[in-house]
Amino acid sequence: MTDIPTHWTVRHFSQANPFGPGCDSVPALLRRLADSIEDLGPVEVQDVVFSSEMTEHGAWRSGTVYFHLPEDDEDDEDGQGDEDAA
């Protein structure tokens, strides 16, 4: 049987469209998030959450990407998770 981890760390970042006209553009936000994910290199995306806040320009779109880097798995295997780091 595979051991199930009792804890893990997930990294995240949030981005929004620039405030003002066009802040409600879903395609622009998706392009912005996709570019940022590609800039990170090889990552495992766990989740993407979208939010909006109503403004005089419409819904101000934002997104949060939750992800893991390849070295995060190595740290977990070595038992050197965040709480063990000095």
Side-chain angles (χ1 to χ4, degrees):
M1 179 185 266
T2 304
D3 290 334
I4 298 174
T6 58
H7 68 279
W8 62 89
T9 299
V10 64
R11 299 170 188 260
H12 72 281
F13 69 87
S14 297
Q15 284 185 301
N17 286 330
F19 184 74
C23 66
D24 60 344
S25 174
V26 173
L29 177 61
L30 291 173
R31 280 190 285 279
R32 184 180 311 280
L33 291 169
D35 288 345
S36 294
I37 291 168
E38 284 184 335
D39 289 346
L40 290 170
V43 299
E44 179 185 338
V45 173
Q46 182 175 337
D47 198 6
V48 180
V49 178
F50 297 97
S51 301
S52 62
E53 176 183 330
M54 289 307 296
T55 72
E56 64 269 20
H57 301 288
W60 187 9
R61 309 289 183 187
S62 64
T64 301
V65 176
Y66 296 91
F67 65 97
H68 301 275
L69 295 174
E71 60 264 27
D72 294 340
D73 290 336
E74 293 169 11
D75 289 344
D76 288 343
E77 290 172 5
D78 295 339
Q80 298 296 316
D82 287 341
E83 71 269 353
D84 293 334

